[in-house]
Amino acid sequence: MGIKFGQGIKIGTGVSLGNTLAGQSVYTTPGTYSWTAPAGVTSVCVVCIGGGGGGHWGLGYNNRGLGGGGGGGLGWKNNISVTPGVSYTVVVGAAGISDTGLGTGGTDGGDSYFIDAATIKGGGGKKGIGNTAGGLGGSYVGDGGGNGGAGGTCTANFNGAGGGGAGGYSGTGGLGGSRGAGNSGFGGGAGGGAGANNIGGGGGGGGTGLNGQGGSGGGGVHGVTVTLAGGGGSGGAGGNSGKVQNLDSWAGGGGNYGGGSGSVAYNTGGEFFVGSAGSGAVRIIWGPNREFPSFNTGVF
């Protein structure tokens, strides 16, 4: 169907609803693609989720303000006009890379969009920044959606912050925790990861699913040695939890799709491990009586 390259792509064969074919195309691997409108299809509905932002890490006793990555934004748009046989651009945003160089590295999550960023977009979450703040959540363009939650900011030595949750279909993703629990998502958005309440890494933010609005993800909470991740929204994947073991610390990665990565600080006597953020995704559906956020948006 005119696809440039095919990893991570699922193309539905469709089912007959009356005299009109209903189907879908799903893109989950970062990159640029070409989608060709099938015969008889003159309008589509699309949801886009941006990649989550990478987390920050730091070394030594005086590390404060180690920011978690922001969650990706989610945008959806209905009744986008297309012409059968014509190809349209699909871009899937990459997950942000977590900082691995004493505060000098890390990247933002990439934007995801269909046709162009002015038509329908889920914006990428911003990277966490050392000694300032967590990354901002991604924005969105469309008929509806939600911004990603911002990553948390560490407020004490050695305490990693939580990643922000991906945006929802009608509300924002949860904020990452700053030395405490992350916030729950809204409108089907994902929850933010908890910030470490003692030495350790923050939990990753949850990701949001592609099949229409469902329940919102809960925020992560802090345990004795484990910092829980944010829960997935609308059936998306939860993030990975952070933890500390002896002097070693782990920051949790963000869940798919669009969860921000947690951050971590560690003592010079230990080692650290930083999880990756959640990648972006795009889903295109067509057929009669199908509309986001939740009207016949499931997989046939």
Side-chain angles (χ1 to χ4, degrees), residues 135-153:
L136 296 176
S139 60
Y140 72 93
V141 173
D143 294 339
N147 295 334
T153 297

Side-chain angles (χ1 to χ4, degrees), residues 76-230:
W76 55 263
K77 188 176 181 66
N78 294 322
N79 302 316
I80 301 171
S81 296
V82 295
T83 301
V86 174
S87 295
Y88 300 88
T89 299
V90 177
V91 172
V92 177
I97 299 172
S98 292
D99 180 4
T100 56
L102 293 175
T104 61
T107 63
D108 300 334
D111 295 344
S112 298
Y113 60 84
F114 176 68
I115 300 180
D116 55 45
T119 300
I120 166 70
K121 182 187 79 169
K126 302 302 182 182
K127 67 180 180 180
I129 302 173
N131 300 315
T132 52
L136 296 176
S139 60
Y140 72 93
V141 173
D143 294 339
N147 295 334
T153 297
C154 175
T155 58
N157 298 325
F158 297 130
N159 289 225
Y169 286 80
S170 60
T172 60
L175 303 176
S178 299
R179 204 179 186 190
N183 289 2
S184 297
F186 298 91
N197 198 19
N198 202 334
I199 296 173
T208 301
L210 296 170
N211 294 332
Q213 183 169 335
S216 302
V221 296
H222 183 268
V224 177
T225 59
V226 176
T227 305
L228 297 181

Side-chain angles (χ1 to χ4, degrees), residues 217-249:
V221 296
H222 183 268
V224 177
T225 59
V226 176
T227 305
L228 297 181
S234 299
N240 294 316
S241 295
K243 65 178 180 178
V244 60
Q245 180 175 322
N246 298 323
L247 294 176
D248 298 339
S249 296

Side-chain angles (χ1 to χ4, degrees), residues 36-58:
T36 302
V41 175
T42 58
S43 71
V44 295
C45 304
V46 181
V47 60
C48 300
I49 303 176
H56 178 86
W57 74 269

